[in-house]
Amino acid sequence: MSNFRALGFDMASREDAELLARLPLREGTGYHVLSEQGQVQVFRLEVGGGIELWSVQQGNAVAAAFPTFLARGCREVTLRDLFFPHTPFTPRMWTDEPPGLAFQLVNYPFLPPALLVPGTVLCAALVALAGAGFERSDEAPGLTPPPRTGRVVPDNVYRLVGRVTATELIDNPRSGAQVRWWQLNGGEAGEFEAVCHADDAPGDIAVGETVAGVVTLRGAALAAVTEATGECTTTARQEGA
């Protein structure tokens, strides 16, 4: 539920979570997708300001539901591996570039299989969702696994320390809450866009300061990079990208 919090949704109960999971079915745009599991429907609801809710329906059941944020920028990543730890509809993509990132590929159902082979260079709109927020830090920027707490932590969860290069407030039209958007320099890990609930970070943090927090990485593959030109093509961008 913390990733919903990062985007300005507060959930006090399982019923709240179920309502948010079914909200894209009622108000979003649905797409029929054929998969190895048969036909499913993928629903995407653009809440506003880049905030999105995604749900996958198989039969009468919601097989997957998750919030995300469509990053404003795009970074080139090389596909190393794609695996499915929970459902066939929420895969994680590993990249080759140091430090070897893993992120949930949210628009996977819309991408042609030929695009998802090892070695393919993709433009990915990558975002770090900080469900517990950010705090000031005097550490060096970087991306590392979070501290061990005795529970299993997904591969796409990290501790991000970043120097602030830009930040602004975004309104969540659905909840009325404010979300803080960040552009962070993660040192050798590169640049990251991140979001958190505005109440979960100091409001007076300025450009040039450093923040730290535990984040979940999600992203949409927007285009492939062609070897011939080194430029992005938009063949991978679909209605749900």
Side-chain angles (χ1 to χ4, degrees):
M1 292 187 183
S2 63
N3 290 320
F4 285 97
R5 168 77 182 177
L7 292 170
F9 295 103
D10 286 320
M11 294 185 294
S13 66
R14 179 176 294 275
E15 288 71 23
D16 292 339
E18 292 175 353
L19 287 173
L20 279 174
R22 292 195 170 275
L23 188 60
L25 278 62
R26 297 198 307 270
E27 301 183 19
T29 303
Y31 307 90
H32 289 278
V33 178
L34 289 175
S35 70
E36 294 179 357
Q37 287 70 38
Q39 183 171 276
V40 300
Q41 280 188 286
V42 180
F43 293 86
R44 175 184 182 225
L45 175 61
E46 297 181 67
V47 176
I51 300 168
E52 302 181 346
L53 295 176
W54 289 64
S55 292
V56 180
Q57 185 176 26
Q58 189 172 30
N60 294 322
V62 176
F66 49 88
T68 192
F69 181 89
L70 184 59
R72 302 171 182 182
C74 178
R75 63 189 287 172
E76 291 188 8
V77 296
T78 304
L79 173 60
R80 186 181 79 194
D81 192 17
L82 198 68
F83 67 106
F84 304 82
H86 299 301
T87 80
F89 316 112
T90 56
R92 285 210 277 273
M93 175 177 164
W94 276 96
T95 72
D96 260 340
E97 291 78 11
L101 300 176
F103 65 91
Q104 181 185 339
L105 186 58
V106 299
N107 65 330
Y108 162 74
F110 300 101
L111 301 175
L115 198 70
L116 300 176
V117 295
T120 302
V121 181
L122 300 170
C123 289
L126 192 63
V127 67
L129 304 174
F134 285 108
E135 59 185 8
R136 281 188 171 87
S137 175
D138 57 3
E139 302 167 77
L143 191 74
T144 58
R148 294 183 179 274
T149 60
R151 62 184 182 88
V152 177
V153 177
D155 295 322
N156 61 325
V157 173
Y158 297 90
R159 187 168 189 273
L160 173 61
V161 181
R163 182 174 56 83
V164 180
T165 58
T167 184
E168 68 180 67
L169 290 174
I170 298 170
D171 291 324
N172 180 325
R174 174 67 58 169
S175 68
Q178 286 193 311
V179 173
R180 181 163 288 280
W181 173 89
W182 313 79
Q183 183 75 47
L184 301 174
N185 185 318
E188 293 183 356
E191 296 281 335
F192 288 90
E193 290 185 44
V195 288
C196 73
H197 197 295
D199 292 344
D200 296 335
D204 59 346
I205 287 181
V207 170
E209 294 190 76
T210 301
V211 296
V214 175
V215 301
T216 299
L217 295 186
R218 289 192 172 131
L222 301 185
V225 179
T226 62
E227 292 184 5
T229 65
E231 297 178 349
C232 288
T233 65
T234 57
T235 54
R237 191 172 182 96
Q238 304 288 330
E239 293 94 337

